[in-house]
Amino acid sequence: MSIVLPSPFQNPRRTLKSIKSLLIDPLLRFISFLLPPMSTENQPNSNQEEDRRPWEPPFDPSKPSIPISYPITDLQTLESRSYFDSFHFPFNRSSVPLPSDAVEPPSRPRLLVCHDMMGGYRDDVWVQGGTNPDAYAIWHWHLIDVFVYFSHYLVTLPPPGWVNAAHTHGVKVLGTFITEWDEGKVACETLLSTKDSARMYAERLAELAFALGFDGWLINVEVKLGIQLIGNLKEFVHHLSQTMHSSVPGSLVIWYDAVTIDGKLNWQDQLNDRNKPFFDLCDGIFVNYTWKENYPKVSAAVAGERKFDVYMGIDVFGRNTFGGGQWNTDAALHLLKEDDVSAAIFAPGWVYETKQGADFQSSQTRWWGLVEQSWGILQSYPKLLPFYSNFDQGHGYHLSVEGLKVADDPWCNISCQGFQPVLDYSTDSIRTGMEIFINFKDTPYSGGGSITVKGSLRHDASFSTRLFNGRLPLENTPVHILYSVKADGDSVLGLCLELLTETADKTHALIANDAQLLSFGKELENKYNTIIQAEKSKAEVLADKSWVLYKASFQLNDHTLTGISIICILKRTNGITRPAVVKSTTFEQPKVTDEYSPYCASLGHICIRTSEQDMKFPPANAWFTEGQHILWAQGSHGTKSVSLKLVWQLKAEYTIAFVKYNIYVEKQIVAPDTEDIISRSYLGVARVEALYVSDLDVPNEVTALKFIIQVCGPDGSCQELEKSPTFILTL
């Protein structure tokens, strides 16, 4: 993105302080190395040269290697469609479709977020995940309508993890087509040389979006053009919009405010007659972020009935942006909300890049809290059943599957994000004595983290905090809720369902087990209209024996579930709270007084469904499995390694679709006169029907490798490993 400077320099980066920042910083960001330090099995090689991107020479996209996301950097590659011949293409398809109720844009001011984090393609370049537990991510999807993945390459293709996470929450995802500098001018002259050429390249972009499963394009032409090319530029924008709409329902093509209708590179900072001809041919305009206070109203007037298609830019780095961006980003948001136009936040990764605050988690939460206060919550869930969340942000230090810890190494994979809780981080921990956070340090029940509530709680009081904002009609059928809790000492954690009746009356239902119900005393009569008793549920294996599973069933006809909250209280016996015993040593312990006792409890997951039983999976023989591109290599110390592409496909007679698989490998050793020795390890998660295994160490005594594909259901349940499809590689 660019702004108009009082100098001949075009500045695509973030500071106006010096010539260095104008010229050197863009180059550094353009060539900045994105490899995280990785050296474990099935992870990217940490020995790659630090001065090149993974897709730069000698990279050959046709040859098997660890799958990556990468941009298309020239028109020849775009025209040839060679991307679809790449070994990496199947791994880059998103697996989560946009929900049907998110197809049509809402009739209100919308919030677009443009991701420009350290040039793009950082830890998220590794499609199957990396090893950086502190990798950048966004988990405030409830505040976003449209997400744009941006970089300074010609064609920026969003990594599938971002698409999967955004679509899960009903957020559309756009790629970026950008032309800039001399190289971009040459590209435009080729692309716009004829009307047929303009249409052909538009079709290539639409084909990519359809094949990879994202929802459209941000078009950013930041070069001066000859007036003779403008007609074909308009044809390009129009044909791209029409082709996208016919192939991807609800898709968006958004024009960036840069080049004008007369071919000049002159950012208008508003919608006017110099850029409206492009606006009229597509779905919206991203207005450059150096606008003045009255420009939103002027733009809204020009747009007329399409005022919500005007996205006024806000640069979080604060380059001449209204309000100054950074921690004052909400100043611009407040104004735009009042003027009834949409907003486009550029580069929220500022919090991460500039290392704001003591830690990224708290700083990110604080910054997005400003967005929520000024713009409000835009997405609601649960809306459909089954609904499942383990609160996974897509990174962590451990990984668990249904109570079993399968990995104890740092990791990151945005595709692992489930529904993110709508936590109320604005809670004043000093006033309430309680804080709520995602706990990555303790062993989770599922995924990489859990929700922990910790602090000091009055003996005679309860504490509640928001978990989800929903819009789920409850039909005339039983509903079953399953959840896991880990609590220290006398800490008690229950759930509260917020409901609306047919007559729009608000009611509340408390979910807790019999022993916990005693702790709530008279509060039951005063606060809750319905009491739903939860029973303890057995689990064969638990990652941490202190996790307790609960299940509850109820039927509330003609109600709508509008929210879920966590309820915290201390155990009581005959109205007396016992002295608390706190077992957790991960966090600093609160002080104990006559009126307060320490509280610490965690929620590991929640599942809401209409079936009381776990999902019934197709049998193992319902799947075709195959190993492709098998390559052996001799290692040092008498060992060897193998790389291969593992693929699987459900037979045609089964119509159900799955979008998540856990992959394991068993190394089998057959020893004479003794039982076979089997060593099982977790390889990773797949969101498509393939996983590339890279440099898997195989000791010489191993006689076979058994790859297990554990199928995961939308309700969070997983197929038993013994009944899962397999592929056996005999040595």
Side-chain angles (χ1 to χ4, degrees):
M1 303 295 178
S2 302
I3 61 175
V4 180
L5 300 176
S7 75
F9 295 100
Q10 178 183 350
N11 177 14
R13 306 307 332 149
R14 293 192 159 71
T15 176
L16 305 176
K17 293 182 179 179
S18 67
I19 296 299
K20 172 185 176 296
S21 63
L22 290 172
L23 299 179
I24 303 302
D25 289 351
L27 293 175
L28 291 176
R29 289 192 56 178
F30 184 81
I31 64 172
S32 61
F33 177 61
L34 58 89
L35 277 175
M38 300 177 179
S39 58
T40 60
E41 286 182 350
N42 210 39
Q43 296 294 346
N45 184 357
S46 62
N47 294 323
Q48 294 191 39
E49 298 177 22
E50 296 189 0
D51 60 349
R52 66 175 180 85
R53 299 281 192 167
W55 59 82
E56 294 178 350
F59 171 73
D60 183 346
S62 66
K63 293 183 178 180
S65 62
I66 296 175
I68 64 170
S69 288
Y70 61 95
I72 294 174
T73 58
D74 60 81
L75 286 179
Q76 181 179 358
T77 303
L78 178 61
E79 179 181 357
S80 69
R81 303 177 70 250
S82 61
Y83 180 85
F84 297 111
D85 298 323
S86 166
F87 175 81
H88 304 263
F89 162 60
F91 297 95
N92 277 276
R93 292 175 298 166
S94 65
S95 58
V96 180
L98 187 71
S100 57
D101 66 346
V103 170
E104 294 300 322
S107 298
R108 55 161 173 76
R110 305 162 200 148
L111 188 66
L112 179 151
V113 170
C114 191
H115 167 90
D116 179 36
M117 215 290 296
M118 301 176 72
Y121 298 108
R122 306 297 295 184
D123 293 291
D124 53 6
V125 76
W126 308 111
V127 176
Q128 295 181 166
T131 60
N132 180 9
D134 301 315
Y136 178 76
I138 288 175
W139 54 90
H140 296 81
W141 297 107
H142 58 286
L143 306 176
I144 304 172
D145 291 302
V146 181
F147 176 80
V148 178
Y149 195 84
F150 180 87
S151 78
H152 285 272
Y153 298 100
L154 181 71
V155 179
T156 299
L157 302 173
W162 287 104
V163 184
N164 289 333
H167 280 185
T168 295
H169 298 85
V171 177
K172 294 180 181 180
V173 179
L174 310 184
T176 303
F177 179 82
I178 184 172
T179 59
E180 54 186 348
W181 310 106
D182 292 341
E183 183 178 317
K185 187 172 183 179
V186 172
C188 280
E189 289 171 350
T190 300
L191 185 153
L192 304 176
S193 59
T194 66
K195 182 175 293 188
D196 288 342
S197 174
R199 293 170 65 91
M200 179 270 291
Y201 284 112
E203 290 167 6
R204 294 293 186 269
L205 292 178
E207 184 181 28
L208 284 164
F210 175 79
L212 295 176
F214 60 93
D215 309 294
W217 295 95
L218 172 67
I219 304 301
N220 186 358
V221 179
E222 292 205 66
V223 294
K224 182 179 179 181
L225 296 177
I227 193 66
Q228 73 278 6
L229 300 179
I230 297 301
N232 290 340
L233 177 59
K234 292 171 65 177
E235 180 63 24
F236 170 73
V237 175
H238 177 259
H239 191 61
L240 176 59
S241 300
Q242 295 300 310
T243 309
M244 283 300 311
H245 295 164
S246 63
S247 59
V248 181
S251 57
L252 300 174
V253 174
I254 295 180
W255 176 260
Y256 185 70
D257 164 33
V259 72
T260 59
I261 195 63
D262 54 6
K264 295 180 180 179
L265 184 57
N266 190 354
W267 301 270
Q268 300 299 294
D269 300 331
Q270 60 184 300
L271 179 64
N272 59 24
D273 58 359
R274 300 187 70 187
N275 53 28
K276 189 172 183 293
F278 300 110
F279 173 77
D280 292 338
L281 296 172
C282 62
D283 302 294
I285 184 170
F286 186 143
V287 175
N288 190 51
Y289 35 73
T290 57
W291 45 268
K292 306 302 181 183
E293 186 171 1
N294 65 320
Y295 287 8
K297 285 185 177 180
V298 172
S299 299
V302 173
E305 294 181 354
R306 291 188 59 199
K307 61 182 179 179
F308 300 143
D309 296 335
V310 176
Y311 299 84
M312 303 297 296
I314 306 170
D315 178 25
V316 181
F317 276 78
R319 295 174 299 162
N320 286 3
T321 201
F322 182 88
Q326 302 185 13
W327 293 109
N328 295 315
T329 298
D330 55 327
L333 288 172
H334 280 300
L335 177 66
L336 298 178
K337 193 69 177 290
E338 291 177 0
D339 290 344
D340 212 26
V341 294
S342 296
I345 296 177
F346 182 68
W350 168 81
V351 178
Y352 186 93
E353 287 192 58
T354 58
K355 297 179 174 58
Q356 294 293 306
D359 65 276
F360 174 59
Q361 283 281 320
S362 58
S363 297
Q364 171 96 322
T365 293
R366 177 189 164 201
W367 189 87
W368 281 99
L370 299 175
V371 177
E372 179 178 340
Q373 291 171 23
S374 56
W375 209 257
I377 294 176
L378 306 179
Q379 306 291 346
S380 298
Y381 39 86
K383 292 185 285 189
L384 296 172
L385 295 182
F387 175 80
Y388 174 83
S389 178
N390 59 7
F391 323 117
D392 197 330
Q393 289 185 1
H395 58 93
Y397 298 89
H398 322 276
L399 191 69
S400 298
V401 176
E402 288 193 314
L404 176 65
K405 182 162 66 173
V406 298
D408 209 11
D409 300 307
W411 65 277
C412 61
N413 188 340
I414 296 177
S415 266
C416 290
Q417 273 197 12
F419 281 101
Q420 293 300 297
V422 187
L423 300 179
D424 185 5
Y425 291 109
S426 62
T427 299
D428 186 350
S429 59
I430 297 178
R431 179 179 58 83
T432 65
M434 302 286 279
E435 61 175 329
I436 182 169
F437 53 91
I438 303 297
N439 182 347
F440 299 100
K441 295 185 178 180
D442 291 339
T443 301
Y445 172 78
S446 177
S450 57
I451 296 177
T452 294
V453 186
K454 185 177 181 292
S456 296
L457 191 59
R458 284 181 60 94
H459 299 164
D460 58 351
S462 63
F463 172 80
S464 65
T465 185
R466 180 182 68 193
L467 186 59
F468 292 109
N469 278 0
R471 198 170 72 240
L472 175 66
L474 299 177
E475 307 293 343
N476 298 331
T477 184
V479 175
H480 308 278
I481 295 186
L482 301 89
Y483 60 102
S484 52
V485 173
K486 179 168 63 175
D488 288 349
D490 291 327
S491 304
V492 175
L493 188 149
L495 298 176
C496 174
L497 306 183
E498 301 161 16
L499 304 143
L500 276 181
T501 66
E502 281 188 308
T503 57
D505 294 325
K506 292 183 179 180
T507 65
H508 296 83
L510 172 68
I511 300 178
N513 71 341
D514 288 339
Q516 293 171 347
L517 291 174
L518 297 175
S519 301
F520 286 87
K522 293 183 179 179
E523 291 186 38
L524 296 177
E525 303 175 7
N526 300 331
K527 290 187 177 181
Y528 305 105
N529 306 88
T530 304
I531 307 299
I532 302 170
Q533 294 190 5
E535 299 176 353
K536 290 185 179 181
S537 177
K538 295 182 179 180
E540 295 182 2
V541 183
L542 285 177
D544 186 327
K545 296 298 182 183
S546 57
W547 283 108
V548 179
L549 304 184
Y550 294 98
K551 62 179 180 179
S553 301
F554 63 92
Q555 184 168 340
L556 296 172
N557 298 341
D558 303 321
H559 283 69
T560 298
L561 177 64
T562 58
I564 305 174
S565 298
I566 293 174
I567 306 298
C568 306
I569 203 165
L570 295 168
K571 289 181 182 178
R572 303 169 188 170
T573 303
N574 296 326
I576 301 174
T577 305
R578 298 170 299 187
V581 178
V582 179
K583 301 176 183 178
S584 174
T585 58
T586 303
F587 303 97
E588 181 182 351
Q589 302 302 332
K591 295 180 180 180
V592 180
T593 69
D594 292 339
E595 295 182 350
Y596 291 84
S597 287
Y599 179 96
C600 186
S602 298
L603 182 66
H605 84 290
I606 184 171
C607 172
I608 309 175
R609 63 193 189 192
T610 55
S611 172
E612 189 172 4
Q613 304 300 321
D614 287 346
M615 183 174 185
K616 186 177 181 180
F617 295 94
N621 61 9
W623 296 84
F624 295 107
T625 62
E626 184 182 5
Q628 301 175 350
H629 305 289
I630 300 173
L631 179 65
W632 289 95
Q634 195 66 36
S636 57
H637 310 295
T639 64
K640 52 190 172 183
S641 64
V642 66
S643 299
L644 75 155
K645 179 183 178 183
L646 182 65
V647 298
W648 55 93
Q649 185 177 12
L650 191 60
K651 293 180 179 179
E653 56 263 34
Y654 294 88
T655 57
I656 187 170
F658 297 97
V659 297
K660 183 179 178 180
Y661 309 87
N662 295 315
I663 313 300
Y664 304 81
V665 63
E666 289 182 352
K667 299 177 182 179
Q668 302 177 348
I669 301 174
V670 179
D673 304 321
T674 63
E675 294 185 359
D676 294 351
I677 301 173
I678 298 177
S679 173
R680 180 187 296 167
S681 58
Y682 174 78
L683 289 179
V685 64
R687 298 305 299 264
V688 294
E689 294 175 338
L691 184 88
Y692 186 71
V693 180
S694 176
D695 298 323
L696 178 67
D697 183 64
V698 183
N700 286 334
E701 59 269 23
V702 172
T703 57
L705 297 174
K706 181 180 180 181
F707 295 94
I708 304 172
I709 301 139
Q710 184 182 43
V711 186
C712 304
D715 62 351
S717 60
C718 299
Q719 190 169 20
E720 296 178 34
L721 291 178
E722 291 72 19
K723 299 179 180 180
S724 297
T726 62
F727 171 73
I728 298 177
L729 180 62
T730 303
L731 279 64

